Amino acid sequence: MRRATADRGEIVHVAGLHGLSPALRDGAPVLSSGHGDAARCGWEAFFAAMEERGLALAWDPEDPAAAALVPRSELPLHGHVSQGGLARTARFVRALLGRSGPQ
């Protein structure tokens, strides 16, 4: 099932799982798999360009090569946003605050 998100943490997580790095090509954000890619940049520049263009990351967990940045306006992100990042964040915050709760 195809998923989409504009959440920075989820995007970094998906990129890390699939060996992708942030890059800018002609000012447009892309996720690069090339290790020597001269277009590589930091995450802040990548996310700034992504927000400026109103983009979200869409990917299929079964086919990571299909990851693409797409206009947010074309996606009904509610109902399609990956919830995995939210659950991991909640567990992290509970652990940070020393609170127990459902894992």
Side-chain angles (χ1 to χ4, degrees), residues 22-30 37-42 45-47 49-50 53:
L24 294 175
R25 292 208 177 97
D26 297 323
V30 296
D37 191 343
R40 286 177 59 178
C41 67
F46 174 85
F47 285 124
M50 197 174 142
R53 289 167 175 74

Side-chain angles (χ1 to χ4, degrees), residues 17-74:
L17 280 175
H18 303 296
L20 302 172
S21 299
L24 294 175
R25 292 208 177 97
D26 297 323
V30 296
L31 288 172
S32 171
S33 61
H35 297 289
D37 191 343
R40 286 177 59 178
C41 67
W43 283 110
E44 284 304 315
F46 174 85
F47 285 124
M50 197 174 142
E51 288 175 18
E52 180 180 300
R53 289 167 175 74
L55 299 173
L57 176 66
W59 78 99
D60 183 341
E62 302 293 319
D63 181 14
L69 295 172
V70 297
R72 286 184 201 176
S73 61
E74 293 180 12

